[in-house]
Structure formats: structure tokens, C-alpha cells
Amino acid sequence: MKILADENMPYVQQLFADFGRIETVNGRKLTAEQVQDADVLLVRSVTRVNPELLALNSKLKFVGSATIGTDHIDQEYLASRNVPFSNAPGCNATAVGEFAFIAMLELAQRFNSPLKGKVVGIVGAGNTGTAVAKCLEAYGIEVLLCDPLLQQSGDRREFVSLDSLIEKSDVISLHVPITKQGEHKTWYLFDEQRLNSLKQNTWLLNCCRGEVIDNRALIKFKQQRDDVKVVLDVWEGEPNPMAELVPYIEFCTPHIAGYSLEGKARGTYMLYQQLAKVLNLTADKQMDSLLPNLWSEQLSVAEMSNERALLQLARFVYDLRDDDELFRKQFLNPQGFDQMRKNHTHRREFSALKVGNTGQTDVNWLSNLGFSGVEL
Ligand SMILES: NC(=O)c1ccc[n+]([C@@H]2O[C@H](COP(=O)([O-])OP(=O)(O)OC[C@H]3O[C@@H](n4cnc5c(N)ncnc54)[C@H](O)[C@@H]3O)[C@@H](O)[C@H]2O)c1
Ligand SMILES: O=C(O)[C@H](O)[C@H](O)COP(=O)(O)O
């Protein structure tokens, strides 16, 4: 069996070698010729799986995408050909949640305006939106959720409309899939009009898909509204973000919010399990065996009395400033965006770090934030 896999998918050899012969490819440049004799195709978000890509292949038994998003997959077409498909829902949700939380702490530090006391609106309350809410609520931040689809489906949480969220939130974090049709379509959800409705000093973060914000409108808006601060992990027209937009953005990253080591491993592992199920193969490998040990270091936090201390702890895990600096240097280079993604040093999730308390202050809430807690 020939397994064609994106070269940026970790742990493919460890997990899939028993199932067949693995060939790794550049997912962005994948051609129909390369795919023609594959039995299994494992992709990431940069590969458009559509009739053109599969035109020469008549033996495909499974397509897997190690991602949450599925907008790059023509699922109807796969179904019409009876090719089973699976993505990896939730695989990197914790990574995105922690990324957005860290970005908010960075903004707070940069603008000397504490996160504590602000109201954060989350648009899209699925896996990643819920993961951000979990971090924020652990820290005692008020969270508003907008998700009309979940609301209609009977989700028992409290929801608000998008207009109300915009009106009440100091910070807005976007966590919707990209959809081009229907009542709740998200393509340019934040168009010129909606951007203009943001209240003074709003912070806007986009960690879902670039086209949820009209990036041209955002340039125009930022030219008038320096009070609004923006963090972008995703960009309209990736891998070529609009150069004029970058100077207006506080923290720029190349679509790596979900790039924790755990998140990527989980993505590959979920496909391993799905392929085994579809082809009736034995999946006896464990995900934990893939990951390096937790940090041997245990950080002792005698007290966590101010936001600066929390930011220091978060920076120990992931320093967003490094990725932002690199982005500004490299995004205009040919292949710059993709190179940054390919060479990204996967960060660990909060759970990889044990925090112990030698002081009197109660820091147990750090466990709710995701750190491995240790009582001392
Ligand atoms: N930057 C990254 O690295 C990264 C990582 C993971 C996911 N993503 C993107 O984030 C998206 C969301 O991921 P998720 O795991 O939270 O997905 P999810 O499916 O668990 O949740 C998305 C939620 O958005 C809601 N939604 C849809 N349209 C909406 C609208 N118009 N207004 C409000 N809510 C709406 C849905 O009802 C759903 O509950 C993915 O589809 C993917 O495109 C990006
Ligand atoms: O949808 C997702 O899961 C993310 O956008 C994903 O992390 C993107 O990473 P890629 O597949 O492009 O490596």
C-alpha cells in the first residue's frame, strides 16, 4: 500500500510504517501525477483535495487531513467516489486556546492595560473557542460567546448575538470555520461595516481563517483607527499576506496558532486510528509514546499576584514575540511564509510544565489554566 503524506506531518513514519510504503511530499505543490498511484493520502491545510488533484487516481482508499479545518477538502466529491475521509477535530484546540490567551497577555503588557477586568467575546464556541474560554475563565475573565449554530442546536451555555458581543467586548477572538454560504457564513464576517462598529480600544484576534476578516477593509480601517489593536495568525491570501497590512498588526504569525507538539501529534494520531478503522487494520501504538517527556524542570511559583508574573510564566512556554519578529523579517521572502511554518519549533502545551507552589498564595487556578499542578 502506498501512503502519500505531507512532509510537515510529524510521526508519520512511527505510526504508518507498518501499514505500507510512505512517500512524503510538499503539500502545497502536490500534483495529480504524484497522487495517481497512492492508496492513502494524508494532507494538511495547504493541499486542495479536489477533482483535479485526484483526476489520475482510481485506487484511493482513504484521505485524511491532520487538521481541524476542512475547507481545503471537496468532501462531496470524495463521497461521490466513495473515498472515506477523516479530519482531526479538536486536535490542536488547546494549542489555539493557549496561543490566543498568551497573545492577550502580550497585548496587555504592551499597552499597559491589564487583561484582568476586560470582557472577552469569543465568536465560534466550538473546540478552539472553548479552549480559549477555558484559559480565560481559569484566570477569572468574563467571557461572552457567540455561536448561533450551537445555540440553535441546544447547547446549554449562554450565547449573545454578534452585535451584542461587539458592543460589550473589550477583546474579540475569532474561532469559526470559513464558510461561503448560508445564513451564518463567515467569509468576510468582519467586513468594512462590522470593523467600523468595533468600539474604541477593542483588541481583535484572528486565529481561525484569514478570510473571516476582509483584509483590505482592515487596512483601510486601521488607517483611521489606531485605537483598535489586532493580532493575526491567519491571513487573507496565504501564503502571501498583504504587505501593506503587516505594519498595522501588533503580533503577526504564519498560521501556527495550532502548532504545539501535542496538537500536531494528536492530528497524525487521529488519522492513524481512522485509517486503521477504515481498512480494518490493527492500531496498537499509543500517542503518549510519541511525545518527549514533560519538561523535567518544575517551575516553582511562590505567588502569581500580578499579570506580569503570569506573562513570564506563559513566555517560558511560548514567547510570541520571537515568531512576530521572524515574521516581519521573512514574510516577504519567496516561500517565506511556508518556510517559517515548516521550520517552526513546535512549542509544548501548558500541560507539559509542572508548577509547584512554595509560597502561601493559592495558585491552584494554574491547573485550571492547563499547567500540570503539583502541591508542595
Ligand atoms: N490558526 C490555526 O492554526 C488553526 C488551528 C485550528 C483551527 N483553525 C481554524 O479554526 C476553525 C475553528 O476550529 P474549531 O476547532 O473551534 O472548530 P469547531 O467546528 O469545533 O467550532 C467552530 C464553531 O464555529 C461556529 N460557527 C460557525 N459559523 C459561525 C458564525 N457565523 N458565527 C459564530 N459561530 C459560528 C460553529 O457552530 C462551531 O461551533 C477551524 O475550522 C479552522 O479553520 C485554525
Ligand atoms: O485547521 C487546522 O487544524 C489548522 O489551521 C492547522 O493547524 C493548519 O496547519 P497546517 O495543516 O497548514 O499545517
Side-chain angles (χ1 to χ4, degrees):
M1 181 160 73
K2 179 168 171 180
I3 301 170
L4 206 60
D6 186 300
E7 63 193 2
N8 295 334
M9 200 180 294
Y11 304 121
V12 166
Q13 287 297 337
Q14 291 93 321
L15 290 171
F16 290 87
D18 294 348
F19 293 165
R21 186 168 49 87
I22 299 164
E23 192 180 310
T24 56
V25 287
N26 178 323
R28 180 96 63 191
K29 297 186 176 151
L30 195 59
T31 62
E33 286 70 24
Q34 286 173 294
V35 178
Q36 67 180 329
D37 59 346
D39 299 281
V40 171
L41 178 60
L42 304 176
V43 300
R44 302 202 59 88
S45 75
V46 295
T47 304
R48 302 220 152 273
V49 179
N50 53 24
E52 292 76 55
L53 187 72
L54 305 187
L56 306 178
N57 185 306
S58 54
K59 57 189 298 220
L60 206 55
K61 298 176 184 65
F62 179 80
V63 174
S65 179
T67 57
I68 291 183
T70 53
D71 41 293
H72 53 299
I73 309 286
D74 187 338
Q75 290 189 63
E76 253 177 56
Y77 174 67
L78 289 181
S80 75
R81 279 187 47 175
N82 289 324
V83 177
F85 165 72
S86 182
N87 67 323
C91 64
N92 51 38
T94 302
V96 174
E98 293 178 359
F99 177 97
F101 181 65
I102 292 172
M104 291 175 205
L105 290 175
E106 289 288 358
L107 287 171
Q109 165 75 14
R110 179 170 294 182
F111 296 105
N112 197 18
S113 174
L115 179 60
K116 196 72 171 227
K118 292 194 192 303
V119 176
V120 179
I122 294 175
V123 184
N127 287 305
T128 61
T130 301
V132 189
K134 182 187 153 215
C135 292
L136 291 163
E137 282 164 353
Y139 184 45
I141 303 288
E142 186 186 346
V143 170
L144 299 176
L145 302 177
C146 165
D147 194 320
L149 291 135
L150 281 183
Q151 191 172 11
Q152 281 160 21
S153 77
D155 189 312
R156 304 283 288 270
R157 291 173 293 178
E158 204 174 305
F159 294 98
V160 297
S161 68
L162 185 53
D163 287 343
S164 168
L165 180 142
I166 290 174
E167 193 188 313
K168 292 180 184 150
S169 302
D170 305 298
V171 184
I172 298 174
S173 198
L174 307 179
H175 298 279
V176 292
I178 194 80
T179 49
K180 295 183 183 166
Q181 271 148 15
E183 192 190 344
H184 302 297
K185 76 181 167 75
T186 60
W187 185 276
Y188 285 180
L189 184 64
F190 280 70
D191 57 6
E192 187 175 353
Q193 194 185 351
R194 201 155 259 137
L195 288 168
N196 282 323
S197 73
L198 294 179
K199 68 178 192 183
Q200 278 284 314
N201 303 317
T202 300
W203 297 346
L204 177 66
L205 290 83
N206 190 4
C207 299
C208 56
R209 284 291 180 266
E211 288 78 4
V212 174
I213 303 179
D214 178 345
N215 281 200
R216 289 221 167 278
L218 183 60
I219 296 172
K220 200 171 146 201
F221 171 74
K222 277 291 296 172
Q223 283 165 347
Q224 319 294 328
R225 290 284 304 274
D226 189 41
D227 59 292
V228 170
K229 306 300 178 196
V230 183
V231 174
L232 294 185
D233 176 57
V234 288
W235 306 78
E236 186 172 347
E238 290 178 20
N240 301 305
M242 293 171 198
E244 320 87 280
L245 176 58
V246 170
Y248 292 112
I249 306 304
E250 293 305 326
F251 291 99
C252 305
T253 46
H255 197 152
I256 49 75
Y259 276 22
S260 67
L261 193 58
E262 289 87 344
K264 277 215 165 180
R266 234 176 260 128
T268 313
Y269 191 76
M270 286 165 89
L271 297 189
Y272 162 71
Q273 288 180 307
Q274 278 305 321
L275 177 65
K277 203 161 142 194
V278 166
L279 298 188
N280 215 8
L281 303 165
T282 307
D284 52 6
K285 298 184 176 22
Q286 301 303 317
M287 193 187 110
D288 284 351
S289 67
L290 303 173
L291 292 169
N293 291 334
L294 301 186
W295 272 301
S296 52
E297 214 162 330
Q298 176 187 303
L299 220 64
S300 181
V301 283
E303 54 184 282
M304 192 54 63
S305 55
N306 61 38
E307 216 163 273
R308 172 135 190 92
L310 177 59
L311 176 62
Q312 293 301 348
L313 180 62
R315 279 181 184 165
F316 182 87
V317 177
Y318 174 58
D319 197 328
L320 173 57
R321 297 169 303 173
D322 295 341
D323 274 343
D324 173 67
E325 192 184 338
L326 195 68
F327 185 101
R328 288 173 204 277
K329 283 188 193 143
Q330 296 199 356
F331 84 99
L332 281 176
N333 296 347
Q335 316 296 325
F337 193 90
D338 280 345
Q339 282 301 322
M340 283 185 279
R341 306 189 80 216
K342 185 178 168 68
N343 301 328
H344 196 257
T345 315
H346 300 137
R347 64 185 200 267
R348 298 303 304 264
E349 294 178 359
F350 288 163
S351 59
L353 184 65
K354 286 184 185 162
V355 267
N357 185 12
T358 50
Q360 299 303 312
T361 322
D362 175 12
V363 290
N364 286 340
W365 61 273
L366 288 171
S367 305
N368 298 336
L369 195 50
F371 290 98
S372 296
V374 181
E375 291 293 330
L376 287 183

